[in-house]
mmCIF file of all heavy atoms in Angstrom:
data_model
loop_
_atom_site.group_PDB
_atom_site.id
_atom_site.type_symbol
_atom_site.label_atom_id
_atom_site.label_comp_id
_atom_site.label_asym_id
_atom_site.label_seq_id
_atom_site.Cartn_x
_atom_site.Cartn_y
_atom_site.Cartn_z
ATOM 1 N N VAL A 2 8.404 -19.063 -37.125
ATOM 2 C CA VAL A 2 8.913 -18.921 -35.762
ATOM 3 C C VAL A 2 9.399 -20.268 -35.239
ATOM 4 O O VAL A 2 8.728 -21.282 -35.388
ATOM 5 C CB VAL A 2 7.824 -18.366 -34.847
ATOM 6 C CG1 VAL A 2 8.291 -18.366 -33.403
ATOM 7 C CG2 VAL A 2 7.433 -16.951 -35.282
ATOM 8 N N GLN A 3 10.577 -20.256 -34.655
ATOM 9 C CA GLN A 3 11.115 -21.464 -34.019
ATOM 10 C C GLN A 3 11.733 -21.097 -32.690
ATOM 11 O O GLN A 3 12.405 -20.065 -32.572
ATOM 12 C CB GLN A 3 12.170 -22.122 -34.910
ATOM 13 C CG GLN A 3 11.613 -22.981 -36.021
ATOM 14 C CD GLN A 3 12.666 -23.851 -36.667
ATOM 15 O OE1 GLN A 3 13.755 -23.379 -36.969
ATOM 16 N NE2 GLN A 3 12.356 -25.115 -36.866
ATOM 17 N N LEU A 4 11.520 -21.939 -31.697
ATOM 18 C CA LEU A 4 12.163 -21.817 -30.394
ATOM 19 C C LEU A 4 12.755 -23.188 -30.087
ATOM 20 O O LEU A 4 12.026 -24.186 -30.092
ATOM 21 C CB LEU A 4 11.184 -21.416 -29.306
ATOM 22 C CG LEU A 4 10.534 -20.029 -29.412
ATOM 23 C CD1 LEU A 4 9.275 -20.089 -30.282
ATOM 24 C CD2 LEU A 4 10.181 -19.492 -28.042
ATOM 25 N N VAL A 5 14.041 -23.224 -29.821
ATOM 26 C CA VAL A 5 14.731 -24.491 -29.601
ATOM 27 C C VAL A 5 15.450 -24.448 -28.263
ATOM 28 O O VAL A 5 16.404 -23.678 -28.083
ATOM 29 C CB VAL A 5 15.729 -24.788 -30.738
ATOM 30 C CG1 VAL A 5 16.426 -26.124 -30.480
ATOM 31 C CG2 VAL A 5 15.019 -24.812 -32.086
ATOM 32 N N GLU A 6 14.990 -25.296 -27.343
ATOM 33 C CA GLU A 6 15.592 -25.368 -26.017
ATOM 34 C C GLU A 6 16.703 -26.414 -25.983
ATOM 35 O O GLU A 6 16.660 -27.401 -26.723
ATOM 36 C CB GLU A 6 14.546 -25.736 -24.960
ATOM 37 C CG GLU A 6 13.356 -24.810 -24.867
ATOM 38 C CD GLU A 6 12.181 -25.262 -25.721
ATOM 39 O OE1 GLU A 6 12.404 -26.037 -26.679
ATOM 40 O OE2 GLU A 6 11.046 -24.843 -25.449
ATOM 41 N N SER A 7 17.653 -26.196 -25.091
ATOM 42 C CA SER A 7 18.718 -27.166 -24.866
ATOM 43 C C SER A 7 19.251 -26.988 -23.449
ATOM 44 O O SER A 7 18.942 -25.998 -22.782
ATOM 45 C CB SER A 7 19.852 -26.995 -25.875
ATOM 46 O OG SER A 7 20.442 -25.719 -25.753
ATOM 47 N N GLY A 8 20.034 -27.981 -22.994
ATOM 48 C CA GLY A 8 20.689 -27.859 -21.702
ATOM 49 C C GLY A 8 20.100 -28.708 -20.600
ATOM 50 O O GLY A 8 20.627 -28.736 -19.489
ATOM 51 N N GLY A 9 19.014 -29.401 -20.879
ATOM 52 C CA GLY A 9 18.424 -30.251 -19.854
ATOM 53 C C GLY A 9 19.265 -31.488 -19.605
ATOM 54 O O GLY A 9 20.252 -31.750 -20.289
ATOM 55 N N GLY A 10 18.857 -32.244 -18.595
ATOM 56 C CA GLY A 10 19.572 -33.469 -18.284
ATOM 57 C C GLY A 10 19.256 -33.960 -16.902
ATOM 58 O O GLY A 10 18.308 -33.503 -16.258
ATOM 59 N N LEU A 11 20.072 -34.903 -16.432
ATOM 60 C CA LEU A 11 19.918 -35.486 -15.101
ATOM 61 C C LEU A 11 20.904 -34.812 -14.162
ATOM 62 O O LEU A 11 22.106 -34.716 -14.468
ATOM 63 C CB LEU A 11 20.188 -36.985 -15.158
ATOM 64 C CG LEU A 11 20.217 -37.742 -13.836
ATOM 65 C CD1 LEU A 11 18.857 -37.679 -13.147
ATOM 66 C CD2 LEU A 11 20.650 -39.187 -14.054
ATOM 67 N N VAL A 12 20.415 -34.353 -13.030
ATOM 68 C CA VAL A 12 21.269 -33.678 -12.055
ATOM 69 C C VAL A 12 20.851 -34.112 -10.660
ATOM 70 O O VAL A 12 19.678 -34.436 -10.412
ATOM 71 C CB VAL A 12 21.174 -32.140 -12.224
ATOM 72 C CG1 VAL A 12 19.759 -31.646 -11.970
ATOM 73 C CG2 VAL A 12 22.179 -31.417 -11.365
ATOM 74 N N GLN A 13 21.805 -34.120 -9.750
ATOM 75 C CA GLN A 13 21.515 -34.501 -8.366
ATOM 76 C C GLN A 13 20.843 -33.347 -7.621
ATOM 77 O O GLN A 13 21.057 -32.175 -7.959
ATOM 78 C CB GLN A 13 22.798 -34.900 -7.650
ATOM 79 C CG GLN A 13 23.394 -36.202 -8.159
ATOM 80 C CD GLN A 13 24.555 -36.669 -7.305
ATOM 81 O OE1 GLN A 13 25.156 -35.894 -6.566
ATOM 82 N NE2 GLN A 13 24.877 -37.954 -7.395
ATOM 83 N N PRO A 14 20.066 -33.649 -6.611
ATOM 84 C CA PRO A 14 19.491 -32.580 -5.776
ATOM 85 C C PRO A 14 20.583 -31.646 -5.266
ATOM 86 O O PRO A 14 21.658 -32.103 -4.844
ATOM 87 C CB PRO A 14 18.819 -33.350 -4.645
ATOM 88 C CG PRO A 14 18.484 -34.671 -5.241
ATOM 89 C CD PRO A 14 19.611 -34.984 -6.181
ATOM 90 N N GLY A 15 20.304 -30.365 -5.330
ATOM 91 C CA GLY A 15 21.286 -29.359 -4.932
ATOM 92 C C GLY A 15 22.171 -28.894 -6.058
ATOM 93 O O GLY A 15 22.922 -27.921 -5.909
ATOM 94 N N GLY A 16 22.098 -29.570 -7.187
ATOM 95 C CA GLY A 16 22.934 -29.224 -8.328
ATOM 96 C C GLY A 16 22.371 -28.079 -9.154
ATOM 97 O O GLY A 16 21.352 -27.482 -8.800
#
Side-chain angles (χ1 to χ4, degrees):
V2 173
Q3 279 193 315
L4 295 87
V5 180
E6 303 93 339
S7 62
L11 174 63
V12 62
Q13 291 188 340

